[in-house]
Structures are given as C-alpha cells and as structure tokens.
Amino acid sequence: MDCVATGANVKVLAKAIHSLSRIGEELYLEPVDDGLALRSVNSSRSAFASFQLSPLFFQRYQAPTDQSFRCKMPIKSVQAVFKSLSSLERSVEKCRIQLNSEKSRLTITLHCKHGLLKTHNLSFQDCESLQAVFDKESCTNVLQAQPRLMVDTVLHFPPSLEEVNLSVSSDRVWLRNHVEDDADSSRAMMTELCLSSEEFDHFAISSQTSITFCLKELRGLLGFAESSCLPISMYFDEPGSPVILNVTDSVLEANFVLATLSEDSHSKNHVNSDTKRPDAEQPPDDFMSDDMDSFLIAMETSELPGPSHVPTSPPQPINNRKHSASDDEDEEALAERPPNKKFCSLFFGSVLPTPSLTNQTIQSQEVLASDSEDENQTETS
Amino acid sequence: MKFRAKIVDVGCLNHFTRVVNTVSKLTKACVLRLTCDHLYFVLSGRVATGGVSMWCELLQVNFFDEFQLEGVSADANEIFLEVAPENLSRALKTAQNAKSVKIKLTKKSCPCLTLAAELPSLSSLSRVVTHDLPVDVIPRRLWYDFREPQMPEFDVSIYLPPLKTMKSVVDRMKNLSNYLVVEANLNGKMNLKIETDLVSVTTHFKELGNPPWGEDGSQSSSRTHREPELMAETRVDIRKLQQFLTGQQVNPSRAMCNIVDGRILHLIFLHEDVSLQYFIPAVV
C-alpha cells in the first residue's frame, strides 16, 4: 500500500484523524481499490465514524495487493504524527502512508519544507472489517445545514453536556439538553434552542419526532466540517434508530453514526414488529462475552429478516411512527414508571464479510456487543 | 408573585452580564432580591463562607427596558430568590448579541428564572434560546437575614490604589502567607503587609486620598479627632481579598475601603448604575 496526500489535503487528513479520536480509542484502516477508509468506534458500540477517502483525494494511491488487508492501531499514536495542525499547514508539503508488510509496520512519512523528512513507523494489529450497518436513504427525516449553524447552536450548551435532544416539527427544530430522570434532574439548568426550518439548507421532515444522542461525539464532526466549510446532513428516524451525520464532497465522505436513546415505552408498543426486540428477549449476557463465535451464532439463530424478508420491513416503520406520535402523550401518563432507557447499540456486520448480512438494514436491532478483544482469534472462523 | 423584565440595549446587556459574572466569581449561591426599583445580589455572612458578606445593588431602570414586579403581597412588594449566579452567567454568556433578553419568574418542575434570548438568525424568524434556571423562593420570615447591611462605624476610609496594581501585589503575597494585614490612615496612606517566620513584606501606597464622608456618613464622633497619621488595620484571609479582586469585571468609577480596626475590611465599588460592597471579617 502506498498513498501520498499533498498540500491542503494533509491538513484534511489530520483533521479527520482528530475527529475520529473523539469517537474511539482505535483507528481502523482499510485500504481498498475504491479508496482509503478510516474508521473508529466507541467502546459501547454506540458511536461509529467513518471517513472514506477516494483515490482522487491522493496525489498517488495504490491499494495493497492483498485486498483483505485491514488493520487497527491506537489512535493516539496516529494523532501524535499529525500533532500540531498549524505547523502541519505551514511546513508539511506531502504525507506518504506506506505499508511495510514484512515488518508489520505502517510508515507515515511527512515531507516538510527544506527537505526535512519525518518518518513514523507505527505498529498495527490485524483486525476484521469495522462497518456499522446503516442506510441513510431509508431515513425519513433529513436536515442539512451549514456547519456554522450547528457550531453556533452547540455553543449554547456547556462543553460538559453529554446528551442532547433534537426535536423536529414541520417548521421548527428544537435542541435541548437532556437530563436523566433522577432526583437531581429537577434542579438542573435546562437550555433549549429553537431554530426555524428556514435556517437549514434542506429540511425534509416526514413526521414530528424527538431523538436523543450524545453531543460529545458529534463535536468531533463539527470541528471537521467547520474547517472544511462543507454542509452537514443529518438523517434520522424515530428514537432508537441511529442518527447519521454526513459530510460529503467529491473526494471524501464522512459518516458519523450515533445511537439514539430508545425508550422502553416505545418497545412495549411494538411487540408485533420484527424490527424492535424488547430487551427481555435478548439477555445482554450473551453478548458480553468476547468470543466472536458466540456472537455469530446468536446472530444466525435470531429472527433476522433474510434477504427475502426485506420487502416486509418497510411497513413496520410506519407502525412505529404512528405509535411514537401517541407515545409523546402516553409518556406523561407513564411517568410513574421510570423508563428503562438505554442507547441501542449499532448493529455491526463486523464478523464475517458475508454480503447478505451487511446489506440488511436492521439498524434498529438491539444488540449489545462489548468491546471485543479477541478479534484476532476470529480470523480462522 | 410575578416578575418579568426585558433588556433590549446591547450595552445594558453587556453591563448586566459583567455584573453577574463578577457576582458569580464571588459565590456559588446568593440571594437575588427584587424590588420595583432595584435588584440586589446578597450574600449574608455565614461561617461556612468564611464570614464574608456581599451586597450588590443595581438600579433597575438603568438596565431594563421593561420591568414588572408583583411581590409576595401588597405591603411586601418584593421577591427574594436563592439563585446560582453561575447559571445566570452561563445563560447570559451566549446571548451577548441578542436582539432582546427577557427574564421571567416561572414555574416548571420547580420555580425557575427563565431567560429567553432572541438571537439574530439567517432567516426571517429569530433563533430563540431559552434557559430555565432553578431557583428557591425565600419565605418572608427569612427576609431579615438579607437586609441591607449597615455602614460599619469605620476608623479609616480610604480610596483604593489602582485595582490592577493592588491585585498583582496581593497575588504575589498570597504565595508567601495566608493572612494579609491591610492598614490605612487619614493621610491617604495604605500598607499591605504580610509576615511569616522567615520574611515580612510590606507594600506602601501614598497619596491615595480619603473619601469625604459628610455629616450623613456614619462616622463616629471620635473620628473627627483622629490622629491623621494613625493607622487602622485589619488582618484578613488573603484568599478572600484575592477572590474579590480577581473576579472584578465592572470597572468602578470609585473604589474605596473602610477599615474598622481589628474587625472588618469593608470594600466598596461604586459605579453609575451599580454598587458592590464586600465585607471581609478580621481574623485573629
């Protein structure tokens, strides 16, 4: 593998890595003929980010001969290479990433002014492909805004705020800080920002909905978008389905997929649907083990709609939406029962590159996949 | 009980924000007393806070375009709220370029001060940011604790040296000792002294001037016969003084202190629309 990024793209590459560092501890690198994918996921599998850099992003792009090469490394070591953005801008002319397969090292060489060469040899671990299953096109709500709008909005919330709630109606968007329902919450300061739909470049909301997701992880994308001046698109459905934030231009595409809080009261109304499974049916302990084999087995034996069932899944979301509208009123009545909220983990088709699994849009599947440390062992399975 | 107020002028908003920021640097919780003409931020001296007390008075009409108040009753037309000034500071921080800021007393899951700022936006409809700050309503029977402090019968009253200078002196002295002696006389001289086993340091200020308290100032009659060179002093916890000097965001038109020998250091900052008084008790 040998790729060279030059000029301003070096800074873009650095910013991408810094953004990914806000998500997880490890950077997953997957160079294929289509381009270079840089990905990261958080330990609870509730946030995933992916930067796809097309060959045109690079001055020169040569994918490794072994098409199934994938590796991961601690993101801090890669960040150290691209440490100071301002000095990168000033002095680095070229950045070359090469794979040294015999020594199992990824070599990043920064060609700086005055003939200075900074070479970093990073060790990596082989790993499986990391790809969350999501489908932007099937999302019923789409917003697009200039990054300046998002940054200005987020400014009103304290940097320490974890979770934020986004509510949409036919002509307005509200952003509120999310407070857990416990004794302290009634004394917490509540902040709400209301934006009109006119402030968005694109505003396509099919129904009123309200989702809660982690703001911290979003800030990583905001930093990247602001410096690139590219508009940010948000794709989302009802609570429980992940929200997808996307920044695209001709040579790169960034996707941040964040899980949203799902309320138990929602799942109780949807016992009939295949796409939502109440927690009780899937004891989390099955997925806490690091053994990827058992994870695989669980997937195969569960009620996964196979390719032939795909046509039947669209009707389900419609039921979900009808329920969610009435849920808002019901929730107040259910106040005495504290909802057992949890973030749905994103479904990962990360075990085997079986095309049929990865193409399915079962993002609302509730799966708790722990941080797997034994990924190396699954190469043989 | 009803309270609604509105600020539309950017200058007034900035000024109000700076006052709130100053108060928030001095204490985590204080009482906001609202009357028809004034707002007061009050901290009453308690052992827990090291005995310091604060009285910050704002003339309402110089800040607010609209101000409506209905107190607890007709004969007690005031409202006392316990607030966290830091929350108010945070809410005001991002509203500095707002077209208008409205403050209201509301009831959400608990009594709140709701701040709604109308921000400029890219569209015809403004962006509205609303902050709900939880507050506690203080019952009338406790109002006595938060009354206006009496001017102490001071021994010496003197204008302070330039605050920047005073702050940097106090900052450096803090590294050497926990206690600072402030002494001054009626000849415009002030000394800041620290003394430890190893070292003693004194900074002398001259020609500061003494405020001319008139007959209505509460000077003790003995004061008129006070030897001008005689120093009155108090020994205070240096951190309290430093905290006061560090948090200042309101540039006072007049800054002075009153010393009651061995008992209290009373600092007064005066500005056209706002006055701030801070009482630091002496330590033995």
Side-chain angles (χ1 to χ4, degrees), chain A residues 135-326:
Chain A
D135 182 9
K136 296 198 295 281
E137 311 309 324
S138 72
C139 287
T140 54
N141 298 313
V142 183
L143 295 173
Q144 188 183 80
Q146 290 302 313
R148 190 73 244 162
L149 177 70
M150 311 269 318
V151 168
D152 284 347
T153 302
V154 157
L155 259 179
H156 293 277
F157 298 92
S160 57
L161 180 66
E162 291 270 341
E163 287 149 20
V164 75
N165 174 279
L166 176 84
S167 301
V168 289
S169 74
S170 53
D171 63 348
R172 293 250 203 292
V173 174
W174 290 268
L175 228 73
R176 297 181 184 101
N177 59 326
H178 175 78
V179 181
E180 285 300 311
D181 274 342
D182 52 24
D184 290 338
S185 69
S186 61
R187 306 293 309 173
M189 182 168 147
M190 296 291 297
T191 301
E192 176 191 285
L193 178 63
C194 179
L195 300 165
S196 112
S197 58
E198 290 170 25
E199 300 217 53
F200 291 85
D201 293 351
H202 181 72
F203 189 90
I205 301 298
S206 64
S207 66
Q208 282 191 304
T209 190
S210 174
I211 54 170
T212 302
F213 55 90
C214 196
L215 181 61
K216 261 193 179 158
E217 282 140 6
L218 172 60
R219 288 180 195 268
L221 178 65
L222 289 184
F224 180 83
E226 209 191 356
S227 64
S228 65
C229 299
L230 292 167
I232 302 174
S233 303
M234 279 181 81
Y235 300 83
F236 55 100
D237 269 326
E238 74 274 7
S241 294
V243 53
I244 302 148
L245 295 119
N246 173 285
V247 170
T248 310
D249 80 2
S250 51
V251 294
L252 71 75
E253 181 175 342
N255 284 302
F256 273 56
V257 185
L258 306 174
T260 62
L261 268 188
S262 89
E263 308 239 354
D264 243 2
S265 48
H266 280 282
S267 54
K268 281 180 169 49
N269 287 327
H270 306 150
V271 187
N272 298 327
S273 81
D274 282 339
T275 53
K276 278 236 188 282
R277 306 173 112 266
D279 297 352
E281 287 185 45
Q282 274 185 345
D285 288 338
D286 271 1
F287 300 99
M288 293 321 255
S289 89
D290 286 337
D291 186 356
M292 290 304 273
D293 281 336
S294 69
F295 179 89
L296 222 200
I297 292 162
M299 274 165 39
E300 284 174 358
T301 56
S302 61
E303 284 176 41
L304 290 179
S308 55
H309 290 310
V310 169
T312 66
S313 52
Q316 315 287 19
I318 296 169
N319 283 339
N320 294 353
R321 278 204 299 282
K322 271 209 298 225
H323 282 293
S324 61
S326 58

Side-chain angles (χ1 to χ4, degrees), chain A residues 36-159:
Chain A
L36 177 65
L38 299 169
R39 302 191 175 112
S40 188
V41 69
N42 72 353
S43 52
S44 56
R45 294 295 213 252
S46 60
F48 165 86
S50 160
F51 282 81
Q52 313 265 131
L53 307 169
S54 89
L56 292 170
F57 177 85
F58 299 95
Q59 183 198 56
R60 174 195 154 134
Y61 183 78
Q62 188 189 317
T65 44
D66 170 16
Q67 279 293 295
S68 65
F69 173 75
R70 292 173 206 98
C71 68
K72 66 174 183 178
M73 61 201 80
I75 203 162
K76 283 203 155 56
S77 20
V78 190
Q79 263 188 300
V81 176
F82 299 99
K83 203 163 32 191
S84 159
L85 288 170
S86 51
S87 75
L88 272 177
E89 225 178 342
R90 273 198 312 267
S91 53
V92 177
E93 290 163 353
K94 210 159 73 159
C95 166
R96 187 171 185 189
I97 307 176
Q98 288 166 288
L99 173 63
N100 185 336
S101 9
E102 35 181 63
K103 287 195 194 151
S104 283
R105 290 278 187 273
L106 195 75
T107 305
I108 304 183
T109 314
L110 297 176
H111 296 245
C112 310
K113 279 195 181 127
H114 313 300
L116 190 68
L117 279 176
K118 293 185 195 169
T119 310
H120 300 259
N121 289 305
L122 304 170
S123 61
F124 56 80
Q125 276 179 290
D126 289 321
C127 65
E128 291 301 326
S129 172
L130 181 74
Q131 177 60 59
V133 175
F134 59 94
D135 182 9
K136 296 198 295 281
E137 311 309 324
S138 72
C139 287
T140 54
N141 298 313
V142 183
L143 295 173
Q144 188 183 80
Q146 290 302 313
R148 190 73 244 162
L149 177 70
M150 311 269 318
V151 168
D152 284 347
T153 302
V154 157
L155 259 179
H156 293 277
F157 298 92

